């Protein structure tokens, strides 16, 4: 690269980091990888996964799964952040 120039990839990454779209794109990445992160059984009984202001909101109507996920909050945060490659999720809420 010449002095003062930026690659297209670097420019796109910088744009995405400053964009208002980043939280929504991060949420979509989590949703797309939810089965890989948590496994088929948990993914099957999870109705929705949302990311709102660094809170991962997991919705399920299965009471035993709610209990299991409640006990696994720290593990979920760790797994999701590892998949994303950055510390995005700070808290998990189960509904």
């Amino acid at each position: 690269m010449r002095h003062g120039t930026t690659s297209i990839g670097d420019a796109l990454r910088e744009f995405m980091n400053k964009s208002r779209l980043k939280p929504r794109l991060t949420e979509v990445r989590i949703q797309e990888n939810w089965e890989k992160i948590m496994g088929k059984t948990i993914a099957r009984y999870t109705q929705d996964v949302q990311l709102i202001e660094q809170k991962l909101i997991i919705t399920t109507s299965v009471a035993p799964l709610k209990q299991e996920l409640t006990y696994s909050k720290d593990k979920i945060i760790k797994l999701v952040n590892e998949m994303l490659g950055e510390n995005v999720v700070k808290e998990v809420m189960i509904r």
Side-chain angles (χ1 to χ4, degrees), residues 5-23:
T5 60
T6 305
S7 73
I8 292 174
D10 290 341
L12 284 172
R13 270 188 288 284
E14 185 177 332
F15 170 76
M16 289 309 302
N17 285 334
K18 293 180 181 178
S19 171
R20 295 183 321 171
L21 296 173
K22 185 176 181 184

PDB file of all heavy atoms in Angstrom, residues 5-23:
ATOM      1  N   THR A   5      -2.986   5.482   1.782  1.00  0.00           N
ATOM      2  CA  THR A   5      -4.061   4.723   1.156  1.00  0.00           C
ATOM      3  C   THR A   5      -4.492   3.585   2.077  1.00  0.00           C
ATOM      4  O   THR A   5      -3.731   3.135   2.933  1.00  0.00           O
ATOM      5  CB  THR A   5      -3.630   4.135  -0.201  1.00  0.00           C
ATOM      6  OG1 THR A   5      -2.534   3.270   0.008  1.00  0.00           O
ATOM      7  CG2 THR A   5      -3.267   5.235  -1.175  1.00  0.00           C
ATOM      8  N   THR A   6      -5.700   3.147   1.874  1.00  0.00           N
ATOM      9  CA  THR A   6      -6.266   2.088   2.692  1.00  0.00           C
ATOM     10  C   THR A   6      -6.832   1.014   1.774  1.00  0.00           C
ATOM     11  O   THR A   6      -7.403   1.332   0.735  1.00  0.00           O
ATOM     12  CB  THR A   6      -7.406   2.657   3.574  1.00  0.00           C
ATOM     13  OG1 THR A   6      -6.897   3.756   4.321  1.00  0.00           O
ATOM     14  CG2 THR A   6      -7.942   1.630   4.531  1.00  0.00           C
ATOM     15  N   SER A   7      -6.717  -0.246   2.186  1.00  0.00           N
ATOM     16  CA  SER A   7      -7.300  -1.314   1.380  1.00  0.00           C
ATOM     17  C   SER A   7      -8.819  -1.256   1.491  1.00  0.00           C
ATOM     18  O   SER A   7      -9.373  -0.698   2.456  1.00  0.00           O
ATOM     19  CB  SER A   7      -6.788  -2.674   1.850  1.00  0.00           C
ATOM     20  OG  SER A   7      -7.381  -3.017   3.084  1.00  0.00           O
ATOM     21  N   ILE A   8      -9.485  -1.839   0.527  1.00  0.00           N
ATOM     22  CA  ILE A   8     -10.953  -1.856   0.542  1.00  0.00           C
ATOM     23  C   ILE A   8     -11.455  -2.596   1.773  1.00  0.00           C
ATOM     24  O   ILE A   8     -12.404  -2.161   2.426  1.00  0.00           O
ATOM     25  CB  ILE A   8     -11.498  -2.494  -0.750  1.00  0.00           C
ATOM     26  CG1 ILE A   8     -11.189  -1.580  -1.932  1.00  0.00           C
ATOM     27  CG2 ILE A   8     -12.996  -2.763  -0.646  1.00  0.00           C
ATOM     28  CD1 ILE A   8     -11.552  -2.158  -3.278  1.00  0.00           C
ATOM     29  N   GLY A   9     -10.810  -3.706   2.115  1.00  0.00           N
ATOM     30  CA  GLY A   9     -11.209  -4.478   3.290  1.00  0.00           C
ATOM     31  C   GLY A   9     -11.101  -3.670   4.573  1.00  0.00           C
ATOM     32  O   GLY A   9     -12.006  -3.679   5.404  1.00  0.00           O
ATOM     33  N   ASP A  10      -9.992  -2.935   4.730  1.00  0.00           N
ATOM     34  CA  ASP A  10      -9.817  -2.095   5.917  1.00  0.00           C
ATOM     35  C   ASP A  10     -10.856  -0.983   5.954  1.00  0.00           C
ATOM     36  O   ASP A  10     -11.400  -0.656   7.011  1.00  0.00           O
ATOM     37  CB  ASP A  10      -8.408  -1.499   5.957  1.00  0.00           C
ATOM     38  CG  ASP A  10      -7.341  -2.538   6.248  1.00  0.00           C
ATOM     39  OD1 ASP A  10      -7.683  -3.626   6.765  1.00  0.00           O
ATOM     40  OD2 ASP A  10      -6.160  -2.262   5.960  1.00  0.00           O
ATOM     41  N   ALA A  11     -11.131  -0.393   4.800  1.00  0.00           N
ATOM     42  CA  ALA A  11     -12.120   0.684   4.726  1.00  0.00           C
ATOM     43  C   ALA A  11     -13.509   0.166   5.094  1.00  0.00           C
ATOM     44  O   ALA A  11     -14.259   0.825   5.831  1.00  0.00           O
ATOM     45  CB  ALA A  11     -12.134   1.303   3.336  1.00  0.00           C
ATOM     46  N   LEU A  12     -13.873  -1.029   4.617  1.00  0.00           N
ATOM     47  CA  LEU A  12     -15.176  -1.609   4.947  1.00  0.00           C
ATOM     48  C   LEU A  12     -15.277  -1.937   6.430  1.00  0.00           C
ATOM     49  O   LEU A  12     -16.311  -1.689   7.059  1.00  0.00           O
ATOM     50  CB  LEU A  12     -15.436  -2.861   4.112  1.00  0.00           C
ATOM     51  CG  LEU A  12     -15.821  -2.623   2.665  1.00  0.00           C
ATOM     52  CD1 LEU A  12     -15.864  -3.938   1.903  1.00  0.00           C
ATOM     53  CD2 LEU A  12     -17.153  -1.914   2.569  1.00  0.00           C
ATOM     54  N   ARG A  13     -14.206  -2.512   7.015  1.00  0.00           N
ATOM     55  CA  ARG A  13     -14.213  -2.814   8.449  1.00  0.00           C
ATOM     56  C   ARG A  13     -14.382  -1.539   9.274  1.00  0.00           C
ATOM     57  O   ARG A  13     -15.144  -1.502  10.226  1.00  0.00           O
ATOM     58  CB  ARG A  13     -12.924  -3.528   8.846  1.00  0.00           C
ATOM     59  CG  ARG A  13     -13.015  -5.038   8.730  1.00  0.00           C
ATOM     60  CD  ARG A  13     -11.787  -5.716   9.305  1.00  0.00           C
ATOM     61  NE  ARG A  13     -10.611  -5.553   8.472  1.00  0.00           N
ATOM     62  CZ  ARG A  13     -10.388  -6.217   7.347  1.00  0.00           C
ATOM     63  NH1 ARG A  13     -11.253  -7.093   6.925  1.00  0.00           N
ATOM     64  NH2 ARG A  13      -9.292  -6.019   6.645  1.00  0.00           N
ATOM     65  N   GLU A  14     -13.679  -0.492   8.889  1.00  0.00           N
ATOM     66  CA  GLU A  14     -13.780   0.780   9.613  1.00  0.00           C
ATOM     67  C   GLU A  14     -15.191   1.347   9.497  1.00  0.00           C
ATOM     68  O   GLU A  14     -15.768   1.816  10.473  1.00  0.00           O
ATOM     69  CB  GLU A  14     -12.763   1.776   9.059  1.00  0.00           C
ATOM     70  CG  GLU A  14     -12.718   3.073   9.833  1.00  0.00           C
ATOM     71  CD  GLU A  14     -11.647   4.026   9.318  1.00  0.00           C
ATOM     72  OE1 GLU A  14     -10.637   3.555   8.772  1.00  0.00           O
ATOM     73  OE2 GLU A  14     -11.852   5.235   9.491  1.00  0.00           O
ATOM     74  N   PHE A  15     -15.757   1.271   8.292  1.00  0.00           N
ATOM     75  CA  PHE A  15     -17.124   1.752   8.086  1.00  0.00           C
ATOM     76  C   PHE A  15     -18.115   0.972   8.950  1.00  0.00           C
ATOM     77  O   PHE A  15     -18.979   1.549   9.605  1.00  0.00           O
ATOM     78  CB  PHE A  15     -17.519   1.639   6.610  1.00  0.00           C
ATOM     79  CG  PHE A  15     -18.975   1.900   6.364  1.00  0.00           C
ATOM     80  CD1 PHE A  15     -19.477   3.192   6.389  1.00  0.00           C
ATOM     81  CD2 PHE A  15     -19.850   0.851   6.130  1.00  0.00           C
ATOM     82  CE1 PHE A  15     -20.825   3.441   6.177  1.00  0.00           C
ATOM     83  CE2 PHE A  15     -21.197   1.079   5.922  1.00  0.00           C
ATOM     84  CZ  PHE A  15     -21.685   2.379   5.943  1.00  0.00           C
ATOM     85  N   MET A  16     -17.989  -0.360   8.966  1.00  0.00           N
ATOM     86  CA  MET A  16     -18.917  -1.193   9.737  1.00  0.00           C
ATOM     87  C   MET A  16     -18.775  -0.933  11.237  1.00  0.00           C
ATOM     88  O   MET A  16     -19.770  -0.936  11.955  1.00  0.00           O
ATOM     89  CB  MET A  16     -18.693  -2.676   9.436  1.00  0.00           C
ATOM     90  CG  MET A  16     -19.144  -3.089   8.051  1.00  0.00           C
ATOM     91  SD  MET A  16     -20.825  -2.587   7.629  1.00  0.00           S
ATOM     92  CE  MET A  16     -21.749  -3.368   8.914  1.00  0.00           C
ATOM     93  N   ASN A  17     -17.558  -0.717  11.710  1.00  0.00           N
ATOM     94  CA  ASN A  17     -17.370  -0.449  13.131  1.00  0.00           C
ATOM     95  C   ASN A  17     -18.005   0.871  13.554  1.00  0.00           C
ATOM     96  O   ASN A  17     -18.430   1.017  14.686  1.00  0.00           O
ATOM     97  CB  ASN A  17     -15.884  -0.464  13.489  1.00  0.00           C
ATOM     98  CG  ASN A  17     -15.329  -1.863  13.539  1.00  0.00           C
ATOM     99  OD1 ASN A  17     -16.045  -2.821  13.783  1.00  0.00           O
ATOM    100  ND2 ASN A  17     -14.046  -1.987  13.294  1.00  0.00           N
ATOM    101  N   LYS A  18     -18.080   1.832  12.643  1.00  0.00           N
ATOM    102  CA  LYS A  18     -18.668   3.135  12.954  1.00  0.00           C
ATOM    103  C   LYS A  18     -20.153   3.199  12.606  1.00  0.00           C
ATOM    104  O   LYS A  18     -20.843   4.114  13.012  1.00  0.00           O
ATOM    105  CB  LYS A  18     -17.915   4.236  12.209  1.00  0.00           C
ATOM    106  CG  LYS A  18     -16.501   4.415  12.701  1.00  0.00           C
ATOM    107  CD  LYS A  18     -15.785   5.494  11.950  1.00  0.00           C
ATOM    108  CE  LYS A  18     -14.351   5.644  12.443  1.00  0.00           C
ATOM    109  NZ  LYS A  18     -13.626   6.661  11.704  1.00  0.00           N
ATOM    110  N   SER A  19     -20.630   2.220  11.863  1.00  0.00           N
ATOM    111  CA  SER A  19     -21.998   2.231  11.356  1.00  0.00           C
ATOM    112  C   SER A  19     -23.010   1.844  12.426  1.00  0.00           C
ATOM    113  O   SER A  19     -22.716   1.076  13.346  1.00  0.00           O
ATOM    114  CB  SER A  19     -22.100   1.245  10.183  1.00  0.00           C
ATOM    115  OG  SER A  19     -23.429   1.079   9.791  1.00  0.00           O
ATOM    116  N   ARG A  20     -24.228   2.345  12.261  1.00  0.00           N
ATOM    117  CA  ARG A  20     -25.322   1.943  13.141  1.00  0.00           C
ATOM    118  C   ARG A  20     -25.795   0.530  12.815  1.00  0.00           C
ATOM    119  O   ARG A  20     -26.552  -0.053  13.566  1.00  0.00           O
ATOM    120  CB  ARG A  20     -26.511   2.902  13.006  1.00  0.00           C
ATOM    121  CG  ARG A  20     -26.209   4.294  13.472  1.00  0.00           C
ATOM    122  CD  ARG A  20     -27.414   5.175  13.394  1.00  0.00           C
ATOM    123  NE  ARG A  20     -28.208   4.911  12.195  1.00  0.00           N
ATOM    124  CZ  ARG A  20     -29.396   5.399  11.946  1.00  0.00           C
ATOM    125  NH1 ARG A  20     -29.946   6.223  12.806  1.00  0.00           N
ATOM    126  NH2 ARG A  20     -30.048   5.112  10.850  1.00  0.00           N
ATOM    127  N   LEU A  21     -25.362  -0.030  11.710  1.00  0.00           N
ATOM    128  CA  LEU A  21     -25.757  -1.370  11.300  1.00  0.00           C
ATOM    129  C   LEU A  21     -25.027  -2.469  12.062  1.00  0.00           C
ATOM    130  O   LEU A  21     -25.483  -3.606  12.098  1.00  0.00           O
ATOM    131  CB  LEU A  21     -25.493  -1.575   9.802  1.00  0.00           C
ATOM    132  CG  LEU A  21     -26.277  -0.712   8.837  1.00  0.00           C
ATOM    133  CD1 LEU A  21     -25.776  -0.927   7.419  1.00  0.00           C
ATOM    134  CD2 LEU A  21     -27.755  -1.027   8.935  1.00  0.00           C
ATOM    135  N   LYS A  22     -23.901  -2.148  12.673  1.00  0.00           N
ATOM    136  CA  LYS A  22     -23.073  -3.171  13.312  1.00  0.00           C
ATOM    137  C   LYS A  22     -23.832  -4.004  14.347  1.00  0.00           C
ATOM    138  O   LYS A  22     -23.750  -5.231  14.310  1.00  0.00           O
ATOM    139  CB  LYS A  22     -21.820  -2.575  13.925  1.00  0.00           C
ATOM    140  CG  LYS A  22     -20.915  -3.663  14.468  1.00  0.00           C
ATOM    141  CD  LYS A  22     -19.630  -3.164  15.009  1.00  0.00           C
ATOM    142  CE  LYS A  22     -18.840  -4.372  15.490  1.00  0.00           C
ATOM    143  NZ  LYS A  22     -17.627  -4.034  16.112  1.00  0.00           N
ATOM    144  N   PRO A  23     -24.591  -3.405  15.271  1.00  0.00           N
ATOM    145  CA  PRO A  23     -25.307  -4.245  16.248  1.00  0.00           C
ATOM    146  C   PRO A  23     -26.285  -5.217  15.582  1.00  0.00           C
ATOM    147  O   PRO A  23     -26.386  -6.372  15.996  1.00  0.00           O
ATOM    148  CB  PRO A  23     -26.046  -3.232  17.126  1.00  0.00           C
ATOM    149  CG  PRO A  23     -25.277  -1.971  16.978  1.00  0.00           C
ATOM    150  CD  PRO A  23     -24.735  -1.991  15.581  1.00  0.00           C
TER     151      PRO A  23
END
